[in-house]
Amino acid sequence: MKSFTRSKQRKAARQSARHSRSVTKHLAKKAGQPPGTLMYIGDASDEEVRISLLDYDPDGLKELTDARVEDILPYRQSPTVTWVNVDGLHKTDVVKSIGEYFDIHHLVLEDVVNTTQRPKLEIYDRNLFITLRLIRFDEEADEVRSSQTSLIVGENFLLSFNQHEERMFDPIRERLREGLGRLRGGGADYLAYALVDLVVDNYFVIIERLSEKIELVEEELITDPQRETLRTIHGLKTDMIALRKSVWPMREVINRMLRSETPFIKDSTRPYLRDVYDHTIHASEIIETSRDIVSGMIDIYLSSVSNRLNEVMKVLTIIATLFMPLTFLCGWYGMNFKNMPELNSPWGYPAVIGVAVLTVVGMLTFFRRHGWL
Amino acid sequence: MKSFTRSKQRKAARQSARHSRSVTKHLAKKAGQPPGTLMYIGDASDEEVRISLLDYDPDGLKELTDARVEDILPYRQSPTVTWVNVDGLHKTDVVKSIGEYFDIHHLVLEDVVNTTQRPKLEIYDRNLFITLRLIRFDEEADEVRSSQTSLIVGENFLLSFNQHEERMFDPIRERLREGLGRLRGGGADYLAYALVDLVVDNYFVIIERLSEKIELVEEELITDPQRETLRTIHGLKTDMIALRKSVWPMREVINRMLRSETPFIKDSTRPYLRDVYDHTIHASEIIETSRDIVSGMIDIYLSSVSNRLNEVMKVLTIIATLFMPLTFLCGWYGMNFKNMPELNSPWGYPAVIGVAVLTVVGMLTFFRRHGWL
Amino acid sequence: MKSFTRSKQRKAARQSARHSRSVTKHLAKKAGQPPGTLMYIGDASDEEVRISLLDYDPDGLKELTDARVEDILPYRQSPTVTWVNVDGLHKTDVVKSIGEYFDIHHLVLEDVVNTTQRPKLEIYDRNLFITLRLIRFDEEADEVRSSQTSLIVGENFLLSFNQHEERMFDPIRERLREGLGRLRGGGADYLAYALVDLVVDNYFVIIERLSEKIELVEEELITDPQRETLRTIHGLKTDMIALRKSVWPMREVINRMLRSETPFIKDSTRPYLRDVYDHTIHASEIIETSRDIVSGMIDIYLSSVSNRLNEVMKVLTIIATLFMPLTFLCGWYGMNFKNMPELNSPWGYPAVIGVAVLTVVGMLTFFRRHGWL
Amino acid sequence: MKSFTRSKQRKAARQSARHSRSVTKHLAKKAGQPPGTLMYIGDASDEEVRISLLDYDPDGLKELTDARVEDILPYRQSPTVTWVNVDGLHKTDVVKSIGEYFDIHHLVLEDVVNTTQRPKLEIYDRNLFITLRLIRFDEEADEVRSSQTSLIVGENFLLSFNQHEERMFDPIRERLREGLGRLRGGGADYLAYALVDLVVDNYFVIIERLSEKIELVEEELITDPQRETLRTIHGLKTDMIALRKSVWPMREVINRMLRSETPFIKDSTRPYLRDVYDHTIHASEIIETSRDIVSGMIDIYLSSVSNRLNEVMKVLTIIATLFMPLTFLCGWYGMNFKNMPELNSPWGYPAVIGVAVLTVVGMLTFFRRHGWL
Amino acid sequence: MKSFTRSKQRKAARQSARHSRSVTKHLAKKAGQPPGTLMYIGDASDEEVRISLLDYDPDGLKELTDARVEDILPYRQSPTVTWVNVDGLHKTDVVKSIGEYFDIHHLVLEDVVNTTQRPKLEIYDRNLFITLRLIRFDEEADEVRSSQTSLIVGENFLLSFNQHEERMFDPIRERLREGLGRLRGGGADYLAYALVDLVVDNYFVIIERLSEKIELVEEELITDPQRETLRTIHGLKTDMIALRKSVWPMREVINRMLRSETPFIKDSTRPYLRDVYDHTIHASEIIETSRDIVSGMIDIYLSSVSNRLNEVMKVLTIIATLFMPLTFLCGWYGMNFKNMPELNSPWGYPAVIGVAVLTVVGMLTFFRRHGWL
């Protein structure tokens, strides 16, 4: 159990600090740059940038993987729904070219390559721009990590830009290929809904991981609280804060999608969005509740430290209270006065033994009465 | 008194953590599933699924128990009010069939079988969908448990789907059978009101249980606070949080029922809903107040721990302060110097006795003046 | 001073818990009852139910005390203002009869006999229903108690239902009899205003009592904080919470009276209501401020406990630090080695005396420098 | 430094409690009084009631000091702006007469003589009623005091009623007499603005005083925290609460003046009011920030108490750990067994000396390694 | 590591207090002054006041540095965009002259020279007035400092007034000179946007500095918490509060710019403003999160102090518990009774050695079992 908290947590605490620092460092770098410059803001990456394309209607589906930017152009014109997915944003010229093909506002493109955004929805005349944060649990660092995915929903097309290569959307691709459910029949807005739904459902996976950790720590708190336990609780709290930062604004994003009067969201999709909206509400409530529980754990921890101090002090007090009078007694008859009649009396020693025994019994009775034994 | 907190609480703490974990586990499982799949999310159950039906108007009442799905169909058409109650949701095909008979949106059916919902109201064109959480106090685990009941209110019919077999609605059935009160004369909306009213009234039963526990713990806190007491307080706090999570959204649900302009709520029912609304407000206020009181109990607990430490330290200090000077005195005349004139003086020993007595008296006076005795 | 907190508080803490429990117990009992049943919810009472009547216009006044229900009927028809006051609600048939005479909605009557309501205002077509909570300070239990009074304001009549016999309204009766002020000339709404004003003004009496208690406890906290002090603070906090629960909703009640477009509140009465409204705002602000001050007192208490521990520890440390080296010194020359030259030297004993004195002086200097003496 | 906190604070704490108690006592006295009675509520005062009058237009100014009520009457009719200032409200007949001359609603007059009001604005058909709280720092009691000033703004006149003789408005009088700035040319509303502006600017004087005190206490907290320091912090917190209570509602008062559509505020005055509004916002933000800082100081204080305890305990532990083994060593060779060969060995004593030195060196090394020395 | 917190922090704490005091001192000075007086409120400064001018359109740019007030006049009339920048506000006649040239309301000019404003936006008929706070990190005092910049945006001109000489705007000047980006083509509103964008981007630089400090302190907290650590945390908290005070109102300022229907903001500029708005939201969220993390650090600190006390007490208890029984044993056989048979027995001494060893072993076993070793 101890191994759970100790080594991992210390490592995690450092990484967490380093991470949050790097986020602001990126942004700080941007200060003084003219607006309109397409500048990648995020962790350096040497992954390949990959473009894939899915073009479908209820009757058929075409797929391109590892496409070049030029390959996409013809699909733009077609009446079928076109989903262009870009994994990796550090090569901004790719984003720029695609943005020009699909006629995207350059401020949107700037936001796409700035991976430190909070979830938001922006409604433009020609499309809808949604920023999402994907959360995963980094097993090695034992902490919550987030990356950014941007969706641009237009007439018959959806562009998704992922900060890293994203396998999370694979189930959607599979369902599209197999033509199951409503996905092929729905438009680009229904596809956007399906992706958002996936992202939100994934929050519950992370929440479950944290709940498991909470359970472990609660167990540890009851059986054997350690110095490291508080640090783990602090780590949980920090994770909760990070999670909350991603989930909370999603409520507003989805609510605004739900209520916006843009043509890019069809009425038939709205009930589904209402459903996702309920899920985000639910997720944020669980997070709030967990935060309350974690806060309560700190109280328990602090009181357990105090209780332990009390116990230590009781042992000390019992020992001192037992032996100090006895030591005094011995010291008394260890004095070298010539005329101490007791020393010569034959009853002196037995009497002292008696007094000692009585003292011990008396003390023990006192302790028992005060509930210290 | 001690037996109250100790064994039960430890057990409960574990179960509670396990439970909240299982909730998110269920939801996590759903991630990646296409929307529109009817998937039961909740505790595994091997109870029988039971369907019962009550069809009534002011003049008469028909009742079916342990009905099959097919038996329900004819009642759908009748102008009388039809109440179909389903206990157990783990067989999703039953829910699906009934949903089809009564023309329910498939998203509603999904929510019906997802038993981890928060209370909510959704207004559809053809019906009203209400999710409620029933709360009961699990005596064995010594904690608050909740289950889900969904109501679908339509023209002349009400469907109720309970996660578990629900005896809570029996009084309503009895009143329907006996034709007492307004129940037989009211429509499906009045029946819905009666069920919601029952659920809300039941919250007060649980609140009373928790108030009783608070009283017991407050008593314990005053007479004899134990290590386990804080854990019990933590448990109470967690129970409060759980209760609040169920009661709080009910305010909004009932308020929206009250204000909605749907034809499924008749104007004559609105005053009754306003009444239930007041009750939920009242319930949430009692919960908030109790939370405040429980928070204050933590302060008292922590200060009682500190006070106890103070007492232990006082005993130690009194003992040490009494005996250390005396022991020094003895030690002094226990030295073996040849030329210590006091040792040979006949007044040496009596003088030392006098000094010792004076020291003790002086110390005791000092302690009494400082209020330590 | 000590007698102030100790005995009273312990008693009060128990009664308080018992009381709040009984409130929810009453409500819990109601669960499962059909709505529309007139069931008294409140403390059992064996007081007589007393009905009194005042019928007045600017020109004259008639008065009935200990009236029977039937006596009231004729006054209903008259164009003069009729004030029917009922003390004691446990005989629900009295309430029911009066309700029928005055054509009151049965939900209102239910609320009248349910004495656990929070303050509220309900606007009906034929009258206005106001629930108030009267607060008094129970000297014996040393805590705040509340009872319920309901007002029903109609065309030319006002019904007031008090949970207990209520002497609080006597000044109003007196002023009516004497025809002083605007009371006789105003309508039923002005009478209602006068009663509400009385109730709100009375809150300040209670607030003053609590302020006095805060002052006493603050004094005690500065001069001589005891274990019981924190409990008293906790009691004050609980009283504040109880008071707040009654005062807070009054703001909304009076504000809604003020703004409602019902014919039962005349425009000439509104400025007076605005005045009461300001008083409730003022009262709730004083309560909030007092809550803040009481919270700060807990910090001071906890720090005084810590400071006291520090003092005890200082005494212990000073004693131990003074005598341990001395005792060691004595022990050293209490050893029985044959060849300890110091023992035989004539300067041995004086040297030891010198060392002991130097040690003591050194220690005392150290303590003085560290500010421990 | 110590003298700063000790004596003053104790005194202040008592006075503060006494003061807030007296406020509610006044209000409590009013309970049961018929509305419409003009009753002075406030500290008893034996100051003279003084009436002064300034009547001006851009071309000239007339001034009356120590006027009688009758002297005012002629100025009421004139088209010039008339400012009547009353210092001292305990003679309610003065207020009543002036109120009748200027046709003021009797509820307004009641509020004028009730000096426990919170800042508010009331808009009547014939005038505007503003209640302000003036704050001053009582050097002697070392605490914040507030008094009430009411302004009644009408067509061409402004009445100001001060609880005490108020020298704060002297600069305005001076500017009027000298005809500097816009004051003479503006109407009664501009005069009202100038007075309110003065009151708000004066808040910053008080805030500065408290900031100075915070600085002193922060210094004390760093160099030498005392028992009294926490009490001073508590006093600061209480002062902040008091200040906030006066400043906070001013925001609403001025905002409503700014937005009200009354003819008594001219459009040309509104930009000036917006300016004062900004100042009140600024003042409340500084207060909030200071509250946060003061709260943080409590944490530092508590931790410094804990740190000091740690230090005391370290001294005790070092002393005990050094001398207990040594004393044991001495005790061992102080035993009187006949056959203890060490006692007779010539190396016995030197060996013991060696062991003692080694023990001391070992202990000191241990302490140094643990950073205790 | 220690050097990081100790010396710097103490110094910073004093400066911070001194600074915030000086702010209110300035404002307090103003109390009693007639509105309309142009009075510089801020730190005394002996910098030169510098005026510079940039006049540009897409086709060309003229620049004046160290201009006199009279030099500006001709550019006012031209259809090109004119940017007048003033560094240093302590010579109010410069501000006054420019204000007269450009027809600025005198209340605006008052706000320009009052450098203690919070960020705000005021919309006038002839221009837009924006107050910003620039934040920099003062390396020497190790704390966050802020200064004021006011922007006045009119038809074809922008005036910027900086409290101190401001090199922060140099990149904008450079871009204007080089004619890069949209800057030359945009109007005065786009220039205002660019300046605001620069100010907001600069917040992230400061946030990064504080995040770095948080990381350092978190590291210190884990490895070696010192007395000074809490003070550093307190300093961080105070910095956060200061930062928040500047950033928070910016949200409202930019939001109102975005939504205002003034002709001074063109529609083409609004998307850019929305972008800055998102950045301010993001900045305030990072600040809030950091505040939460810093609050959690205080809990960890306090618990580490408690844990350290526990450790110290364990050492003391172990030592006392080991040696007190042994010392008693020695004392016992150090008694001088004539008839103590053990003393003469040849097995006496070995037996005592055995008992001593057994005692030590027993104690050590006890400690190991309780996890103290």
Side-chain angles (χ1 to χ4, degrees), chain D residues 264-300:
Chain D
F264 301 111
I265 305 287
K266 287 179 212 122
D267 279 351
S268 59
T269 308
R270 287 179 209 273
Y272 297 93
L273 287 172
R274 195 164 63 173
D275 201 58
V276 199
Y277 179 65
D278 278 343
H279 291 176
T280 51
I281 298 278
H282 197 192
S284 22
E285 277 186 359
I286 297 179
I287 294 171
E288 288 312 294
T289 305
S290 305
R291 267 163 56 105
D292 272 9
I293 290 171
V294 167
S295 290
M297 286 160 72
I298 291 173
D299 282 335
I300 294 193

Side-chain angles (χ1 to χ4, degrees), chain B residues 150-163:
Chain B
S150 306
L151 305 181
I152 299 172
V153 186
E155 186 68 36
N156 281 335
F157 70 88
L158 181 140
L159 312 181
S160 60
F161 296 93
N162 307 310
Q163 187 177 358

Side-chain angles (χ1 to χ4, degrees), chain D residues 49-53 64-75 84-86 94 97-98 101-102:
Chain D
V49 171
R50 285 164 174 272
I51 305 175
S52 68
L53 180 145
L64 293 182
T65 50
D66 290 323
R68 284 169 307 151
V69 176
E70 303 80 46
D71 302 339
I72 298 167
L73 194 52
Y75 297 93
V84 179
N85 181 68
V86 180
V94 172
S97 312
I98 297 179
Y101 283 166
F102 286 90

Side-chain angles (χ1 to χ4, degrees), chain E residues 169-219:
Chain E
F169 294 157
D170 285 353
I172 304 271
R173 283 192 194 96
E174 202 50 44
R175 272 154 57 197
L176 273 176
R177 287 188 202 109
E178 297 181 6
L180 294 175
R182 291 170 185 75
L183 213 41
R184 283 267 275 277
D189 58 335
Y190 192 85
L191 178 59
Y193 149 71
L195 294 172
V196 170
D197 188 49
L198 207 64
V199 168
V200 170
D201 277 357
N202 193 54
Y203 291 159
F204 288 98
V205 181
I206 305 302
I207 290 174
E208 183 194 350
R209 282 305 304 266
L210 292 180
S211 298
E212 259 175 65
K213 265 177 95 174
I214 289 178
E215 188 189 2
L216 277 171
V217 175
E218 222 167 25
E219 185 86 34

Side-chain angles (χ1 to χ4, degrees), chain A residues 10 13-14 17-18 21 24-25 27-28 30-36 105-107 111 114 116-118 120 122-124 227 230-231 234 237-238 241 245 249 291 298 301-302 305 308-309 312-313 315-316 319-320 323-324 326-327 329-330 333-336 342-350 352-353 356, chain E residues 171 175 182 190 193 197-198 201-202 204-205 207-208 211-212 215 218-219 221-223 271-272 274-275 278-279 281-282 285-286 289 292-293 296-297 299-300 302-304 306-311 313-314 316-317 320-321 324-325 327-328 331-342 363 366 370 372:
Chain A
R10 190 165 294 212
R14 275 176 215 159
R18 203 173 305 138
R21 178 185 162 193
T24 46
K25 188 174 254 166
L27 282 175
K30 215 197 162 185
Q33 291 287 330
H105 197 285
H106 67 95
L107 273 175
D111 282 351
N114 175 353
T116 63
Q117 304 275 324
R118 59 194 289 274
K120 65 173 177 181
E122 285 180 3
I123 300 169
Y124 287 86
R227 275 188 87 131
L230 187 67
R231 230 164 266 150
H234 182 62
K237 220 174 147 186
T238 311
I241 291 171
K245 228 169 98 182
R291 268 163 56 105
I298 291 173
Y301 177 80
L302 284 174
V305 170
R308 195 172 291 192
L309 182 62
V312 170
M313 294 312 300
V315 169
L316 176 60
I319 289 290
F323 285 102
M324 278 191 159
L326 294 177
T327 301
L329 192 70
C330 301
Y333 291 107
M335 289 195 292
N336 296 325
E342 302 96 316
L343 293 179
N344 300 313
S345 150
W347 294 105
Y349 187 47
V352 162
I353 295 181
Chain E
R175 272 154 57 197
R182 291 170 185 75
Y190 192 85
Y193 149 71
D197 188 49
L198 207 64
D201 277 357
N202 193 54
F204 288 98
V205 181
I207 290 174
E208 183 194 350
S211 298
E212 259 175 65
E215 188 189 2
E218 222 167 25
E219 185 86 34
L221 205 57
I222 289 171
T223 56
Y272 297 93
R274 194 163 64 175
D275 200 58
D278 279 342
H279 291 176
I281 298 277
H282 197 193
E285 277 186 359
I286 297 179
T289 306
D292 273 9
I293 290 171
M297 286 161 72
D299 282 335
I300 295 194
L302 285 175
S303 97
S304 83
S306 293
N307 273 316
R308 195 171 292 193
L309 182 61
N310 266 4
E311 254 174 46
M313 294 312 299
K314 267 185 202 167
L316 176 59
T317 304
T321 311
M324 278 191 158
T327 302
F328 161 67
W332 189 260
Y333 291 107
M335 289 195 294
N336 296 323
F337 285 105
K338 289 286 175 279
N339 61 340
M340 288 177 74
E342 302 96 318
M363 288 293 174
F366 174 84
H370 279 65
W372 293 8

